[in-house]
Amino acid sequence: MQTESQKYSSNTADEIDLGRLFNILLESKWLIITITFLFAVIGVMYAILATPIYKADALIQVESKNSGVSSLINEGLGDLFTQESSATTEIEIIKSRMVLGETVDKLNLTTIAAPKVMPIIGKGLSRLSGEQTYIDVARFEVPNYLEPEAVTLELINADSGEYQLLNSDGQKLLSGFVGELAEKDDWRLFVRSLKANGGDEFTLSKRSRLEAIQWLQQTLTISERSKQTGILQLAFEGEDKQQIKAILDDVSMNYFLQNVARQSAEAEKSLTFLQNNLPQIKATLNESEDKLNRFRQQNESVDLGLEAQSALKVIVDLEAQLNELTFKESDISQRFTKDHPSYKSLLDKRDTLLQERERLNRQIQKLPKTQREVLRMTRDVEVNQQIYVQLLNKVQELNIMKASAVGNVRILDTAQVYAHPVKPKKSLIVVLATILGGMASVAFVLVKAAFHQGVTSPEEIEALGVPVYTSVPKSEMQLSFGGVGKTGLTRKKKNDSTGLLAKVNPADLSIEALRGLRTSLHFAMLEAKNNIVMISGPAPGVGKSFVATNFAAVAAVAGQKVLLIDADMRKGYLQRSFGLKWDGGLSDVLAGKHTIEQAVKSSGIEGLDVITRGMIPPNPSELLMHQRFRDLLDWASENYDLVLVDTPPVLAVTDPTIVGAQAGTTLMVARFGQNTAKEIEVANDRFKKSGIEVKGVILNAIEKKASNSYGYYQYSYESH
């Protein structure tokens, strides 16, 4: 079961400390401001250099489909050519390959021609400099057997308009002049106009007709102004004002013409049907008239009585109405099912007329046979004549309709290009770029803090089971020596001496903290096997060399006889703090080239001697395992009150574990905000596995930040 402290710790870990996050951002304010400013500058540059995109629009009215000559035709025929057309249907017609394909062919949109400029910013620079080039290609044909690829048109002479066409390998394909058709093999090129200087180049490429139509479909936007108004707004965007206007005008005209052609085609189709059936109706009429005449001649011109004439008139009217209902039924059957009220009403009316015709037929049967035959033949003549006359009238009406077809589409506004570009929206781009920069910088700071949470307080280290002996604040004077390296030491140049902070400013807060370490270390060494103290760290750049040199100086000033050994034979540079040379140092003693006495150098501070690293050897670890190193430490332990050994980082090399086996006390330096708790824990485990106990940790280069409430001024009381 969890203890109360564990539960509290777990709950705290799950909470988001908004105050700490705000303080982290506050610490990185200059980084955030810089990144945001850079994004804003990029946004401004893009807004200035981006190619302006212009917009053109046109307005089309789509009325309900009507012939426009309803006053000249009867209601029955008018219904056949009246139909509502939804805006969605008309939009799809406009975007069809039938309409857009005509525009592609007329404006040669399968050819893509553009000047060769620098990528990304080339167009913008040309526009700002006023040296824009232009090309208008009316015809460009390439051999069918070649794969589609871009070719280069190079203007040779701007005055004469001479140019040459080159492939991707620089081979000449053809040459010609502006305004003339150039031909060679299967290559054909007609440049209508060209504005450029001699030597300028253009890129020409060919795309399929379908690709050009798809490009139009994607770029062309069509919308209905208001619902059910039938007013369609067409819009097109592009870089070339003249081209987008020409495209929009041509699309509008093509749509208008196809609509008129469609109306005329409907009338033509009906007219063809009627004209094909007229001869048959006329033949039937002639045949019925001949039968009636022959019968009358055979029966000596029999006339109908009043009753028969009355019945004949009614029957003819009934037949006319039945024929009219047949026309209407053919139309209404395309719109409704037989269950629809309108369709039912038509069927009921036809049934009534059929019943009436049947009644009249029964009444006619009572007439004499001769009267019945004359009545029947006369009825056939009258009905066929009526049908024939009606069809002749329809033919005339359809001829008028075909000749006067105007369609149901009207172009209200032709294409017009806006005076100002619609893209890019410069102010919006700058604002968005600035916001994006701010968000990106904030995200970067927070992610960096989340993934690299260096220790910022002694409590975090002590939670790992390792005590913290002292916390050394970052020194402003140390920074002023010429720039801070990762080690905590400062230097202007690689070989320059940087000075020693304990000597230059012994009252500095960092030195005060090291005096506190001197007291803590005194008690820690009471039970140690010798007076040798090894100072190491988990990783490079923690400032262990800074701690070692200044602590050695503090101990020497306090009256102890101190020997400082630079055991980092790979990259050690303790000699710079004392103005010494690296040669004749530890590696030379371990290699047997120098004696111990020859390697010991005076630091310039009373009571403090230094052994530098010496020449960089190829095998530092093997040298440290040699008996000479143990002899050196034994000699130093006997002749000095305190021996400080500065070693490389334990997570980088094995040298510290070799030295730590000989040292009585081991200290580890961790850097504030840089070393994570995990690094310190792994470094401590590395020492433990080698049988070395880390007595304590020195938290170096701490600074009072907004993100942590820990202050270092409380550690300066040791000297008082």
Side-chain angles (χ1 to χ4, degrees), residues 363-376:
Q363 183 178 347
I364 290 172
Q365 292 299 321
K366 298 177 181 180
L367 295 175
K369 181 179 179 182
T370 304
Q371 292 285 330
R372 290 201 308 270
E373 289 296 326
V374 172
L375 180 61
R376 181 180 62 80

Side-chain angles (χ1 to χ4, degrees), residues 485-663:
K486 288 183 178 182
T487 60
L489 289 172
T490 55
R491 54 189 181 279
K492 293 182 181 180
K493 295 182 181 179
K494 188 173 181 179
N495 296 323
D496 288 347
S497 61
T498 61
L500 194 64
L501 184 62
K503 184 177 181 180
V504 176
N505 185 21
D508 192 273
L509 289 176
S510 300
I511 305 305
E512 293 288 348
L514 292 178
R515 290 193 181 97
L517 173 63
R518 179 186 62 194
T519 304
S520 302
L521 188 61
H522 171 74
F523 293 103
M525 294 177 62
L526 292 178
E527 299 179 358
K529 60 182 180 181
N530 54 40
N531 59 349
I532 301 172
V533 177
M534 181 185 73
I535 299 178
S536 185
V542 297
K544 56 182 180 54
S545 299
F546 167 79
V547 172
T549 53
N550 285 277
F551 179 69
V554 168
V557 171
Q560 289 182 295
K561 189 177 182 183
V562 182
L563 176 63
L564 178 61
I565 302 175
D566 189 355
D568 187 354
M569 290 181 284
R570 292 174 173 83
K571 297 182 179 180
Y573 45 81
L574 292 184
Q575 70 280 354
R576 294 176 186 158
S577 298
F578 305 101
L580 303 174
K581 300 291 185 181
W582 53 261
D583 54 347
L586 178 61
S587 62
D588 300 297
V589 173
L590 300 183
K593 297 179 180 180
H594 289 74
T595 63
I596 297 176
E597 289 77 6
Q598 291 174 331
V600 175
K601 302 175 183 178
S602 175
S603 66
I605 298 176
E606 185 178 356
L608 176 59
D609 293 332
V610 179
I611 296 181
T612 58
R613 73 161 196 265
M615 182 176 294
I616 299 177
N619 54 346
S621 299
E622 286 75 7
L623 288 178
L624 291 174
M625 296 175 67
H626 198 277
Q627 181 62 38
R628 292 193 187 95
F629 183 64
R630 286 191 288 272
D631 295 341
L632 169 62
L633 293 181
D634 292 340
W635 176 86
S637 180
E638 293 177 0
N639 290 278
Y640 290 89
D641 299 325
L642 178 64
V643 180
L644 296 176
V645 184
D646 183 20
T647 63
V650 66
L651 297 181
V653 294
T654 60
D655 296 7
T657 58
I658 300 173
V659 177
Q662 309 296 323

Side-chain angles (χ1 to χ4, degrees), residues 20-166:
R20 182 175 180 274
L21 293 180
F22 175 77
N23 290 328
I24 290 174
L25 298 178
L26 190 62
E27 293 166 9
S28 305
K29 58 181 180 295
W30 292 115
L31 175 64
I32 295 174
I33 292 173
T34 302
I35 295 177
T36 304
F37 177 75
L38 289 176
F39 270 74
V41 170
I42 293 173
V44 171
M45 292 179 62
Y46 176 79
I48 294 175
L49 296 176
T51 302
I53 303 298
Y54 296 92
K55 180 180 179 180
D57 64 8
L59 214 58
I60 294 177
Q61 179 185 11
V62 181
E63 301 170 332
S64 60
K65 285 192 175 180
N66 194 298
S67 64
V69 289
S70 57
S71 60
L72 299 178
I73 60 176
N74 57 39
E75 181 183 357
L77 188 60
D79 289 341
L80 292 176
F81 296 96
T82 302
Q83 181 181 354
E84 294 296 328
S85 180
S86 67
T88 304
T89 303
E90 299 304 318
I91 290 174
E92 293 303 319
I93 293 175
I94 297 174
K95 287 195 170 185
S96 66
R97 291 197 291 268
M98 175 184 66
V99 175
L100 298 184
E102 295 290 332
T103 302
V104 169
D105 297 336
K106 181 179 178 180
L107 301 180
N108 190 30
L109 298 180
T110 56
T111 299
I112 303 175
K116 273 192 175 182
V117 293
M118 187 184 306
I120 302 176
I121 62 173
K123 288 185 178 180
L125 293 177
S126 299
R127 188 180 69 259
L128 293 177
S129 63
E131 298 180 355
Q132 288 183 278
T133 55
Y134 170 78
I135 187 171
D136 182 11
V137 179
R139 182 181 178 187
F140 181 46
E141 298 179 9
V142 301
N144 296 328
Y145 54 83
L146 291 179
E147 292 291 332
E149 66 172 358
V151 295
T152 300
L153 185 146
E154 180 182 359
L155 182 62
I156 299 176
N157 191 314
D159 296 329
S160 64
E162 182 181 3
Y163 63 82
Q164 62 179 356
L165 199 65
L166 309 172

Side-chain angles (χ1 to χ4, degrees), residues 426-528:
K426 298 183 178 181
S427 57
L428 180 62
I429 287 176
V430 174
V431 171
L432 290 178
T434 305
I435 294 175
L436 180 61
M439 294 173 62
S441 58
V442 168
F444 173 77
V445 170
L446 294 179
V447 170
K448 181 181 177 182
F451 280 93
H452 188 81
Q453 296 184 352
V455 292
T456 56
S457 68
E459 288 79 6
E460 297 179 52
I461 301 175
E462 291 175 346
L464 303 175
V466 184
V468 176
Y469 275 12
T470 188
S471 297
V472 181
K474 182 182 288 187
S475 171
E476 295 298 329
M477 179 168 287
Q478 186 75 16
L479 297 176
S480 68
F481 283 161
V484 180
K486 288 183 178 182
T487 60
L489 289 172
T490 55
R491 54 189 181 279
K492 293 182 181 180
K493 295 182 181 179
K494 188 173 181 179
N495 296 323
D496 288 347
S497 61
T498 61
L500 194 64
L501 184 62
K503 184 177 181 180
V504 176
N505 185 21
D508 192 273
L509 289 176
S510 300
I511 305 305
E512 293 288 348
L514 292 178
R515 290 193 181 97
L517 173 63
R518 179 186 62 194
T519 304
S520 302
L521 188 61
H522 171 74
F523 293 103
M525 294 177 62
L526 292 178
E527 299 179 358

Side-chain angles (χ1 to χ4, degrees), residues 325-352:
L325 286 179
T326 302
F327 277 109
K328 290 185 176 181
E329 184 181 7
S330 64
D331 178 45
I332 204 170
S333 63
Q334 299 177 5
R335 304 184 184 182
F336 312 113
T337 64
K338 291 187 177 182
D339 295 330
H340 193 274
S342 299
Y343 207 135
K344 285 184 176 181
S345 175
L346 186 144
L347 294 177
D348 292 341
K349 186 175 181 181
R350 187 174 66 177
D351 291 340
T352 302

